[in-house]
Amino acid sequence: MSAAELLVMEADVRRIWAAVRFVDAPSQRTVEAPLQVSARGVRWVRNLSGLHVLAELDETLLAAADRPPGLARQLAVYEAAFELAPAVPALAVSGRVSDPSGRYLPRMFTVNLPRAQLPAGRLAERFIPVEVLLDPSPAAPLLGSWAALRVSLTHAGRPAAHAVLRLHRVTGGQLLGRAMSDARGQALLIAAGITQVTVGQGELVVEREVEADLTVSFDPAADPLQPLDPDALALRGGVVRRILRRSFASGRVESLTIALP
């Protein structure tokens, strides 16, 4: 091999758009099991850290009719360069994730591009993975110390698919747990952070139960056969919403039936 041949290298240098970390909602740990991730016009690469990296955008996605004129060219320049990010129009990439093992419910998620920069001396947002929480399916395993609530939801006499549940502690409003119902209207809400004994309020020295408000959000117009973004639905107005107060204790698993109005 000659010296000239040693200088020949193959290079594929480009800017990585973003990375997504899928997180187990009850434990807040990265989901390491294989997941199916897709988004129109996007090439995903799963790295050794378990992150799904948005490595490339297809020109057909950037040139869609609803995109601003010149977006494809501007973002192509951004992808191929390593200078400061240009002031390009925002692009929202909608993705879908599902779990072949059935432990987590499928959901939609959104990644806004390009990822924002932060002032000098702070880690830029584009280097921080987007976290997407995955809600457990009703068949997900439970730890003995977890407080859990198995919920059956109906609306107009039919299963309420893709209803979103959020559990907040009455005192302080801390988020204790979250869930989403499957196509049968069944949901498993896990409150993993409730300890066996907590500091009491008022005259109580300790508490063995925690009072919490359970908020249920449901969109009757949503397609029950298509996944949705539960985080967006939980914040959206104009949907069916109901709040119930419940007591939770570490290690206790209860069942609840909710008929939504």
Side-chain angles (χ1 to χ4, degrees):
M1 183 179 294
S2 67
E5 291 175 322
L6 289 175
L7 297 176
V8 176
M9 299 180 64
E10 180 178 353
D12 181 14
V13 181
R14 68 182 64 196
R15 187 193 297 269
I16 295 300
W17 285 97
V20 178
R21 174 182 286 115
F22 294 102
V23 179
D24 172 78
S27 68
Q28 297 294 305
R29 294 180 179 177
T30 300
V31 176
E32 298 180 351
L35 299 170
Q36 294 179 345
V37 183
S38 62
R40 183 175 64 91
V42 170
R43 182 170 69 88
W44 296 94
V45 177
R46 188 177 186 272
N47 66 17
L48 296 179
S49 299
L51 302 179
H52 286 75
V53 179
L54 199 163
E56 188 175 0
L57 299 178
D58 189 89
E59 290 185 3
T60 57
L61 171 66
L62 303 178
D66 59 341
R67 305 301 185 195
L71 177 62
R73 182 183 59 80
Q74 294 182 60
L75 292 184
V77 172
Y78 172 76
E79 185 180 65
F82 291 89
E83 291 79 16
L84 294 178
V88 298
L91 172 66
V93 173
S94 179
R96 172 175 176 167
V97 56
S98 60
D99 177 17
S101 72
R103 181 170 180 173
Y104 301 100
L105 295 176
R107 62 162 292 174
M108 302 297 293
F109 64 93
T110 300
V111 179
N112 294 313
L113 300 177
R115 299 281 283 156
Q117 299 184 91
L118 293 178
R122 297 176 60 188
L123 187 62
E125 184 180 283
R126 65 178 181 270
F127 297 117
I128 302 174
V130 178
E131 289 196 351
V132 176
L133 271 63
L134 300 183
D135 294 307
S137 73
L142 295 172
L143 294 182
S145 61
W146 285 352
L149 185 65
R150 296 189 179 276
V151 187
S152 178
L153 300 113
T154 60
H155 174 73
R158 298 181 179 180
H162 309 315
V164 175
L165 296 82
R166 295 291 184 267
L167 185 70
H168 291 90
R169 183 166 181 162
V170 173
T171 304
Q174 175 191 2
L175 180 65
L176 298 175
R178 51 177 286 159
M180 180 170 58
S181 63
D182 62 9
R184 304 167 302 157
Q186 305 296 311
L188 173 61
L189 189 149
I190 299 172
I194 296 179
T195 57
Q196 292 183 341
V197 177
T198 60
V199 178
Q201 301 292 326
E203 297 180 357
L204 294 176
V205 178
V206 296
E207 290 179 329
R208 298 187 182 275
E209 292 187 339
V210 173
E211 291 290 315
D213 286 331
L214 175 63
T215 302
V216 182
S217 304
F218 175 67
D219 183 2
D223 186 345
L225 300 180
Q226 297 296 326
L228 47 72
D229 184 337
D231 298 309
L233 178 59
L235 300 175
R236 200 168 76 212
V239 300
V240 175
R241 189 160 281 126
R242 186 176 177 186
I243 302 177
L244 303 91
R245 182 155 296 184
R246 302 280 301 184
S247 296
F248 289 80
S250 174
R252 189 166 72 195
V253 180
E254 296 183 309
S255 299
L256 177 65
T257 299
I258 300 176
L260 297 171

